[in-house]
Amino acid sequence: MRYFEARFLEEAEEFIATLKPKTVKKILYNIDLAEQTNDPRLFKKLTKEIWEFRVRYEGLQVRLLAFWDKTNKQETLVIATHGFVKKVDRVPENEIDRAMRIRELYFRNKD
């Protein structure tokens, strides 16, 4: 059973394309696992609207920020907005703000 299906927006895909193949494989594996388990170590709520996919691999802490899209009654989507390599303990506020802007644009264009 899948709790949700992850989809990647352009900025998230562009970020993933910059990573090493083994890192990408780990990210996709973790996201697939998160879809099936809803494990907070893999997929964690940051704010009311923004969540993060968490991947630690070869000393890097890779984050993909995301939000839920439940507008289609048939499927629940989690939309990854963009990614970055985390260098400090907390997720930088500007990254959360960026995810919020992308989310607003996504829903505005969807209508």
Side-chain angles (χ1 to χ4, degrees), residues 1-5 31-38 76:
M1 179 193 148
R2 289 197 184 278
Y3 289 94
F4 59 85
E5 180 182 331
I31 289 174
D32 185 55
L33 199 57
E35 289 174 335
Q36 297 172 53
T37 62
N38 224 355
T76 300

Side-chain angles (χ1 to χ4, degrees), residues 49-90:
E49 306 289 353
I50 303 300
W51 292 62
E52 70 175 344
F53 286 108
R54 305 158 55 96
V55 179
R56 184 174 284 183
Y57 187 70
E58 291 188 335
L60 292 179
Q61 288 195 57
V62 178
R63 298 294 186 261
L64 286 169
L65 298 192
F67 60 88
W68 292 83
D69 177 355
K70 298 180 182 179
T71 55
N72 178 337
K73 301 294 181 232
Q74 312 312 314
E75 60 185 349
T76 300
L77 302 177
V78 169
I79 311 295
T81 59
H82 71 287
F84 59 95
V85 175
K86 197 170 118 181
K87 294 178 171 58
V88 293
D89 284 346
R90 295 178 55 88

Side-chain angles (χ1 to χ4, degrees), residues 10-19 62-64 83-85:
E10 188 176 342
E11 285 187 55
E13 287 181 351
E14 289 171 358
F15 169 73
I16 290 170
T18 67
L19 301 171
V62 178
R63 298 294 186 261
L64 286 169
F84 59 95
V85 175

